Amino acid sequence: MNDANGFILKNAKRPSTGLCDIVVRDGKIASCGGSGSQSLPKGLPEHDAGGLLLFPSFIDAHVHLREPGFEYKEDIASGLTAALHGGFGAVMAMPNTNPVNDNAATTRLMRAKAQAAYPHGPMVFPVGALSIGLDGAELAPMAELLDAGVKAISNDGKPVQNGGLFRHAVEYAATWGLKVIDHCEDTQTAPGWQMNEGAASADLGLKGQPPLGESAQVARDILLAEFLDLPIHLAHISCRQSVELIRWAKSRKVKITAETCPHYLFLHDGMLGGYNTNFKVSPPLRALEDVQALREAVADGTVDILVTDHAPHAAHEKEAPFEEAPFGLTGLETALPLTYGLVREGIISLERFEDMWCKAPASIFDIPVNNFAPGDAACFFLFDPGLSWQVSADALHSKSFNTPWLGQTLTGKVVAHWQSGVKLL
Ligand code: DOR
């Protein structure tokens, strides 16, 4: 008997409720209850989760899938395979493709490619460009992008310097109910920067960007959001100053939400000593005190969500002198083992871990998720928190493997993943 009409998953551990059994029928949750507490239907295939952790498929609200235009780094199919293995059932794909996703045709192409590669999910939610060509001069056609299926707009990778244009983007986006995601960077603060400015950049002889290169724009966005009383979502927050500003904004009920990435919670600028280009990322890895501030911000809710900023680059691009290598690192397959480490360290609860990767991004970007209620899409995965594995090009499913954790052993792995009731891993 196969699982096509349904199945039962027994003895799976949910964060707050303990062991449970789930009945899936026609790709949807039929029931979910404490193990042994419900009378299970007869005749369905049964699988034993063996007490492993069960999560609804997570959302990564910030990835670069590189298609169209840079398929040698990643394409939508390979990016979604990496997402599936990483525990993600939905990813929001940034618009710095070629052509830039500033038009309905490109948005539709991305969604069609995703649907063709994975008809049951994981799903791609494209993010539209804020400005045409990401040039920061003229607004992209938001209504057209919305109609084609974007969830948000952003100039990620090419931060908007023109405050007037950015204001109009926030106002028009609100008309359409679109979220604006801002890559906060004042590009005039330190043109040509390679890493964080501080003792480490002085040691290495690399041009540094001080944290204010980010936080000055964070301040601008907070003041703008308060002035307009409209929402702005701040991308990949990397430093203490930004955290303090966001905390202040939230105390004033400004409609600001923020994300950070695993690398800002586990790595710092003192680790660039070997000029390893897999540690070169924008915004840059900051000082240890910034890492500490971000961990506190994740724990107290100042930072709302976790994202990977998965930014694949080919080996020949990263195997270059530090100054010439592109910014970015891959993250889809290492994010959960790393951030589960925050649970292990007692920094966040298991419930908050799930919230930051699932319910919070779903609510910010209006993406449906599985709440294990009857009728919800049966999209979930099992996570073995004790399974150790080595990060290697062979172990990863992304086309690129520019991760700072290459060669290292991580503990925690997604071992099974269902999308709409279909077991894909
Ligand atoms: O490091 C980064 N890489 N930061 C960005 O904002 C863009 C990204 C990319 O597209 O490679």
Side-chain angles (χ1 to χ4, degrees), residues 272-322:
L272 272 72
Y275 295 93
N276 182 343
T277 57
N278 287 343
F279 287 71
K280 180 174 175 178
V281 61
S282 171
L285 302 175
R286 303 288 185 186
L288 255 180
E289 63 144 350
D290 296 295
V291 175
Q292 190 49 41
L294 279 159
R295 286 174 160 227
E296 285 161 17
V298 160
D300 72 12
T302 303
V303 165
D304 301 85
I305 66 170
L306 297 169
V307 301
T308 66
D309 196 7
H310 178 78
H313 292 292
H316 72 267
E317 296 172 307
K318 279 292 196 178
E319 283 163 14
F322 200 90

Side-chain angles (χ1 to χ4, degrees), residues 62 64 66 73 96 156-158 183 236 264 280-283 309-313 326-329:
H62 193 141
H64 299 266
R66 305 302 192 207
K73 299 174 194 255
N96 58 343
D156 189 64
K158 289 189 81 183
H183 172 145
H236 42 51
Y264 302 118
K280 180 174 175 178
V281 61
S282 171
D309 196 7
H310 178 78
H313 292 292
F327 292 94
L329 48 89

